[in-house]
Amino acid sequence: MAPRTKLDNHVFETHAELVARLLPCARAIALFDSKARLVGNRGERPPEDIESRVPSVLREGTGSRPDPGLLVELPDGRHAALLALGTDSTTPPAGVCVITLAPPRGEPLPPLDTIRTRLAPVLQLLAREIAPPSASEKRLATLAERADELTWLLDASSRGQERDGEESLAGLLGAAVEHLGCDLGALFVPEKRLRITRGSSRGTSPAAEAELQRLQAPVLQWITRHNRPMTADTSAGQTRSGFRVLAVPIPRPSGSPAGTIIFLRASERRAFAQKERFIVKHLAQQIAARLETRFDAATGLLTRAAMQAQVREWTSGAYGCVLHVNIDRLHVINQTLGFEAGDELIRHVAQLLEPPRLPPDSLAARLSGDAFAIVLRYADTEAATRCAESLQQAATELAQTVLGGRAPVSLSCGIAEFDGAEAEFARALALAEVACKAAKDRGRARVEVYYDTDRSMIRRSADSGTLIRLRNVLAQNQLELYAQKIIPLRNRSERTGYELLLRALDEEHGNRAPGELLAAAQRYQMESTVDLWVVEHALAAAARHRAALHASDVHLSLNISAQALTDETFLERTKECIAESGIAPGLIMFEITETAAVSSFAKAQAFVGELRAMGCRFALDDFGTGVNSLKYLKGLPVDRVKIDGSFISDLLSNAHSVATVRAIVSLARELHIETVAEYAESEAILRRLRELGVDFAQGFGVETPRPLGEVLDALSAAQSASALRLSLEL
């Protein structure tokens, strides 16, 4: 191989860090120049077989292919992406970037085109860095200018993480306006009802605002049609002064444009340079990533967390009403017309939650499969009731337009007022749900307003008093962990396990399921506190029997709530508990419900990814009950799915349940995921589950739950007896 040259190490590391942030599955990055010489490397060096392919990628770049590259599987199961670095479409590649890829287990490998699109700004910067002298005039004017550009790109990729909601996006946009020396910047994403503008700290002229208003529609139309950056000068051919325009698409995960980011600069100032296009393209990628976590993927509405973050940004004097909206009998539509019809109905109901039916400054979020929330700022209960009734009227028409008249469509709505503090809004959100459930109890297709004098609603909100009891129970450790056995059905040599169940110590009734306490925990954002109590006490107890657990290869399953999935403190403390316990992470399995995973899908992926990296395993609980079961299973790296008990309890008499279980087993087997049947209450059900190919089962037909301490003591006793027998034999 030719003598190796080196790219400036700081510059290469800066680019490599950008690649790692834009492509989390990247494990190593290598850069080769136009002579196929290695000029930069981060992580392990590519295998010789991969390096030998670099010249062919360079040769392909001199032909008709505009973006040559290869995606090659390595012997260890990882992949290597070889991407040609072109400074433009008319010159040969300046080099090749080789990226070693290793997505977490269960997560799909991105296609080559997706990788190239995501990394386009960085690849073009790398191409300019290693371009031969003949292209040097295209490089940045000075080394200091180049360093400033790269430093700002890195800062922009992490800026705003400490802020919530639109404030994060607005802060990023404002920083870009200042860095680029522009008069005005704007972010438009129509499908998200997102429009953010930020002016210069020097002040924004009315002329710039008027020009933006005039350009918004035609620029969006052009970006949607061409899906590439555009620059223009509105003063061209005009006697009046105008503005220079730079617009860049904001991509969806599929690559198509969801919107645009636009910058305006007075025409008498310098034109937008190539480096500024790179910066804005990188910003668009960062904005797209933030939008993915802020908005519900299926409907485009805000997530619960994003809605609450937006309310936090309002001043303390804000007041208004919260509407809790629920689609009536969606489960019946799913069962009779299919989940695809249910999903389509959800999307159309979501489309109703926008102006003109809602005020322009309202917020709309999807809370769960069939539940939505609307925040009406500065509205009273009468205005909120009119809004709810308008939505109900529009929803009835969906029976024909979406379902073809095969089933009726109606909405139940609950309303509660809020005033001022964030805690007051959280309470109103819970009380609006109480009112919505009252509407369902009273016949559905109704609007109910929460009143403190309504006895049925008072009963529903009584868990606010239960909250005090919950705090006392946690503080005084008046909870106990039980364990329910999980056994293999098909392969007796497979490891057994136990799901940990929470029981409340009640002086009057003894141990019982803490349903009231958990309901209060959910409504008042204390689920992660309860989950952490379980993690800490379960792993502390297991640590005392570590040797027996390891020898018997028994795993413990712990349930995780939706609130815990989004709680960074919970994640960090859980990792600490695992390390402190000394338990092999492979013996720890976390169960997350399908509803929790779907409602915070991006955060669920991150949560699962971090703990799986330690070696922990994951199960998707209550599988088959949600509207997006199959859609989201492939994207979440889990080791097993737990088939919801509603399909198991009537397995001997319901053909629909049999078909559902058979379909889930088939899908899981294709994805190399284990299946567990819950509520296996009899030997007859266990036999049927074996016939259907289910891997594991739990329920009273297997074993009734026992105190965790008793189970662990029995494991240690059995291990000691086994060791004694072995010593006697020896």
Side-chain angles (χ1 to χ4, degrees), residues 97-129:
C97 183
V98 179
I99 305 172
T100 304
L101 306 169
R105 182 181 175 188
E107 184 174 312
L109 182 73
L112 188 63
D113 288 345
T114 299
I115 295 171
R116 179 177 288 281
T117 299
R118 193 175 297 176
L119 299 181
V122 185
L123 296 179
Q124 293 187 48
L125 284 169
L126 281 172
R128 290 191 295 154
E129 290 296 342

Side-chain angles (χ1 to χ4, degrees), residues 241-519:
S241 62
F243 292 88
R244 300 186 187 276
V245 182
L246 170 61
V248 171
I250 297 172
R252 297 186 181 94
S254 64
S256 61
T260 183
I261 182 171
I262 304 174
F263 293 96
L264 300 183
R265 180 189 290 161
S267 294
E268 57 267 21
R269 302 176 63 196
R270 59 185 171 82
F272 285 103
Q274 185 72 12
K275 67 165 188 175
E276 292 170 319
R277 293 168 63 126
F278 293 140
I279 289 174
V280 178
K281 286 172 69 176
H282 177 82
L283 287 177
Q285 294 285 350
Q286 293 295 320
I287 290 169
R290 296 187 189 189
L291 291 179
E292 194 173 344
T293 59
R294 175 176 160 79
F295 292 93
D296 175 64
T299 64
L301 297 178
L302 294 172
T303 61
R304 178 195 290 265
M307 175 187 66
Q308 292 173 319
Q310 190 64 45
V311 171
R312 280 197 297 270
E313 293 179 10
W314 291 350
T315 62
S316 59
Y319 64 88
C321 285
V322 182
L323 272 70
H324 186 102
V325 180
N326 193 273
I327 303 175
D328 294 328
R329 300 185 181 89
L330 181 64
H331 67 285
V332 176
I333 294 172
N334 287 332
Q335 291 176 357
T336 57
L337 304 182
F339 287 109
E340 290 184 0
D343 287 351
E344 189 67 16
L345 179 60
I346 288 172
R347 284 191 288 270
H348 278 77
V349 169
Q351 291 170 10
L352 300 177
L353 309 185
E354 58 185 24
R357 290 188 180 86
L358 300 186
D361 61 348
S362 62
L363 302 176
R366 186 185 183 196
L367 303 180
S368 62
D370 58 357
F372 304 86
I374 302 167
V375 184
L376 299 176
R377 195 176 185 184
Y378 303 130
D380 56 21
T381 55
E382 291 185 5
T385 300
R386 289 194 299 271
C387 178
E389 290 172 346
S390 173
L391 291 173
Q392 288 178 323
Q393 179 61 37
T396 60
E397 300 173 5
L398 300 180
Q400 289 294 332
T401 58
V402 177
L403 303 182
R406 294 174 292 171
V409 176
S410 64
L411 302 178
S412 292
C413 302
I415 298 172
E417 294 179 289
F418 70 93
D419 185 7
E422 180 183 347
E424 178 69 17
F425 173 76
R427 181 173 183 272
L429 191 60
L431 295 180
E433 183 179 0
V434 169
C436 183
K437 290 182 177 178
K440 284 183 170 291
D441 290 346
R442 296 169 182 175
R444 298 185 176 88
R446 294 173 58 91
V447 179
E448 295 288 348
V449 179
Y450 181 87
Y451 293 111
D452 290 337
T453 55
D454 189 319
R455 291 192 175 185
S456 67
M457 294 191 194
I458 291 174
R459 285 195 299 269
R460 286 190 174 276
S461 62
D463 56 4
S464 60
T466 309
L467 183 63
I468 299 174
R469 180 169 160 245
L470 172 62
R471 292 193 176 110
N472 292 335
V473 161
L474 290 170
Q476 299 169 19
N477 289 325
Q478 294 178 338
L479 296 169
E480 185 175 6
L481 292 173
Y482 271 55
Q484 185 174 51
K485 194 170 188 178
I486 303 172
I487 63 168
L489 294 178
R490 301 171 60 234
N491 185 353
R492 301 289 179 149
S493 64
E494 289 279 358
R495 66 172 63 167
T496 59
Y498 290 87
E499 178 183 355
L500 303 192
L501 308 173
L502 196 59
R503 293 289 182 266
L505 299 176
D506 190 302
E507 294 181 0
E508 181 179 353
H509 304 289
N511 291 343
R512 64 176 183 175
E516 293 179 357
L517 298 178
L518 297 182

Side-chain angles (χ1 to χ4, degrees), residues 169-287:
L169 299 174
L172 188 56
L173 180 64
V177 168
E178 297 299 325
H179 182 76
L180 298 174
C182 293
D183 295 277
L184 188 62
L187 171 63
F188 301 118
V189 185
E191 64 190 34
K192 311 292 188 188
R193 296 193 296 166
L194 190 63
R195 185 185 193 275
I196 302 174
T197 60
R198 281 295 179 270
S200 167
S201 59
R202 303 183 303 274
T204 303
S205 68
E209 294 176 344
E211 193 76 316
L212 179 64
Q213 186 68 27
R214 185 180 69 85
L215 290 173
Q216 176 181 340
V219 169
L220 267 172
Q221 186 177 14
W222 193 96
I223 289 290
T224 302
R225 182 184 302 121
H226 298 283
N227 195 17
R228 67 173 186 267
M230 67 159 286
T231 55
D233 187 347
T234 63
S235 66
Q238 304 289 330
T239 56
R240 61 177 178 84
S241 62
F243 292 88
R244 300 186 187 276
V245 182
L246 170 61
V248 171
I250 297 172
R252 297 186 181 94
S254 64
S256 61
T260 183
I261 182 171
I262 304 174
F263 293 96
L264 300 183
R265 180 189 290 161
S267 294
E268 57 267 21
R269 302 176 63 196
R270 59 185 171 82
F272 285 103
Q274 185 72 12
K275 67 165 188 175
E276 292 170 319
R277 293 168 63 126
F278 293 140
I279 289 174
V280 178
K281 286 172 69 176
H282 177 82
L283 287 177
Q285 294 285 350
Q286 293 295 320
I287 290 169

